[in-house]
Amino acid sequence: MSTAPAVRSWAWVRGRLRDEGPAAARVLVIGAVAWQVTVWAGARNPPVYAVFAPLMALRSDPFSSLTAVALRVVGVIAGVALGLSVVSVLTPSLAALVVVLGLALLIGTLVGPGPALNPQVGLTSLLVLSNPAPDAYGITRLWETALGGLVTIVLAPFLWPPHPYRELTALARECAERLPAALMGSVAALGDPVAAADNRRVVAAEVERLRHARVRAGDAERAMRFNPLRRKYRTRVADLAARLRTVAGAASYVDLLAVEAEVLSARDGASPALRRAGSELPAVVEATGRVLAALVAGGDADGEAEAARRLLDRYRHQDPQAVAVALRRPFHRVLDACVPPRSGSDRGPGDPPAPWA
């Protein structure tokens, strides 16, 4: 009775060590080398600031690149310069804090990773402001961090470099599973106003994750530039990242279905049209899931998309009314975004030109 939890716990520990161990070993080795190089360079006190560079910049995120190291060094330089400038004019006080922190936040937005704020500017400037000997502290922090950053940039690409292709494959597969799951949640909630409203909030969170996946795809491509030992995967990463962006780009149509389900369920309740949709659309969701799975796997997404469109066409003949049109529209748009239809192949004579009819 008591063995199973222990076994599960040990399995969890081994899994964590397997997943995070290389990243931790990377930080340990580079931190030790940075420490020793800084000692050789003449550090008089324990050079902990040199170790901060790999510790803070080399995350286990497989899509992170050495840009994080450069941003840390730039942040330290800006923070030291800002802190020393302020303490030369103002004594440590509330006014000095407001000036230092305000300027640090402003600079951090300009030298941050993309739209994110670089907190290193504020952290360093505040430490300079609070130190009894700001000049000595600032110079020490500056050159030790710069040297630690240099060691990190030189060694990190060759010590257990992360595997963006493997991680991107897992992310693409996850997105291909989550998108149809979100579609199915909206279909299952049809006719129930409370369930549809709850589903709308769940889908909003799912859509945000899918949109974030597009950013991660770009991060994976950039990470390959600093990953010489994984160079053979560069073409595959670029191809998979493009397919992942295509799948994640359909997120807005997933949200559209959730909105339609909420509005129509609140207005019509369990109407015959919504009951009919609840019986017809699950097959469409399953077919759409096969399209997405084929797309991220590099398989025959065209053939799967044609099968999904045939199901939608069958549903169109069974129910051409406005409610059904509104519920088919998101599926057509997901399919068209992921696998553009061949000209004239998916609509017969007399079919309306709009792809969502």
Side-chain angles (χ1 to χ4, degrees):
M1 296 291 291
S2 61
T3 318
V7 171
R8 283 197 298 269
S9 298
W10 178 239
W12 179 84
V13 170
R14 284 187 301 174
R16 293 294 294 172
L17 290 176
R18 183 181 61 250
D19 295 339
E20 305 297 336
R26 206 167 170 232
V27 173
L28 177 62
V29 172
I30 295 175
V33 173
W35 174 291
Q36 189 57 50
V37 169
T38 310
V39 169
W40 288 338
R44 297 182 179 180
N45 297 313
V48 293
Y49 305 123
V51 184
F52 282 176
L55 181 62
M56 301 299 293
L58 292 181
R59 300 164 294 173
S60 60
D61 180 0
F63 302 151
S64 66
S65 69
L66 295 182
T67 304
V69 181
L71 288 173
R72 176 171 175 77
V73 173
V74 170
V76 169
I77 295 172
V80 169
L82 176 59
L84 292 178
S85 300
V86 172
V87 296
S88 66
V89 178
L90 301 173
T91 58
S93 61
L94 177 60
L97 170 67
V98 171
V99 171
V100 167
L101 190 56
L103 291 175
L105 292 173
L106 176 61
I107 296 171
T109 60
L110 301 178
V111 296
L117 173 72
N118 186 352
Q120 187 61 57
V121 183
L123 292 173
T124 302
S125 59
L126 289 175
L127 289 173
V128 171
L129 182 67
S130 66
N131 200 280
D135 291 340
Y137 168 81
I139 298 302
T140 300
R141 182 74 189 271
L142 184 61
W143 79 267
E144 287 186 3
T145 301
L147 193 54
L150 179 62
V151 171
T152 303
I153 290 172
V154 171
L155 293 182
F158 302 98
L159 292 176
W160 303 287
H163 203 314
Y165 179 70
R166 184 176 60 201
E167 299 296 332
L168 192 63
T169 300
L171 179 62
R173 189 181 303 115
E174 179 186 354
C175 288
E177 293 170 355
R178 298 185 82 101
L179 194 151
L183 291 171
M184 186 64 82
S186 298
V187 171
L190 285 171
D192 185 337
V194 176
D198 291 341
N199 173 75
R200 175 71 180 84
R201 289 187 287 271
V202 172
V203 168
E206 288 294 309
V207 166
E208 190 59 35
R209 291 191 190 94
L210 290 167
R211 287 173 176 161
H212 182 62
R214 300 187 70 181
V215 178
R216 303 270 288 169
D219 292 342
E221 289 184 283
R222 286 188 290 274
M224 293 303 294
R225 303 172 191 168
F226 305 94
N227 212 329
L229 300 186
R230 310 288 189 199
R231 189 175 298 274
K232 64 180 181 179
Y233 293 98
R234 181 172 294 181
T235 302
R236 280 189 274 179
V237 165
D239 178 62
L240 182 56
R243 285 185 270 132
L244 174 56
R245 280 193 293 267
T246 298
V247 171
S252 59
Y253 308 130
V254 177
D255 191 50
L256 175 61
L257 180 64
V259 171
E260 296 286 13
E262 182 181 18
V263 172
L264 294 173
S265 297
R267 188 191 69 183
D268 299 339
S271 66
L274 293 185
R275 286 199 299 270
R276 188 160 44 248
S279 64
E280 291 290 333
L281 288 177
V284 178
V285 173
E286 291 179 7
T288 302
R290 290 193 294 271
V291 172
L292 301 176
L295 182 61
V296 299
D300 181 21
D302 287 329
E304 297 291 354
E306 288 181 12
R309 290 186 175 106
R310 283 195 295 270
L311 289 172
L312 285 168
D313 191 55
R314 185 188 70 180
Y315 179 30
R316 180 176 67 84
H317 284 292
Q318 290 182 353
D319 189 349
Q321 301 304 311
V323 168
V325 170
L327 293 173
R328 285 192 295 270
R329 180 186 298 123
F331 289 97
H332 277 297
R333 289 186 170 176
V334 168
L335 293 172
D336 289 354
C338 294
V339 185
R342 293 192 294 270
S343 178
S345 64
D346 294 293
R347 294 179 184 91
D351 282 2
W356 53 80

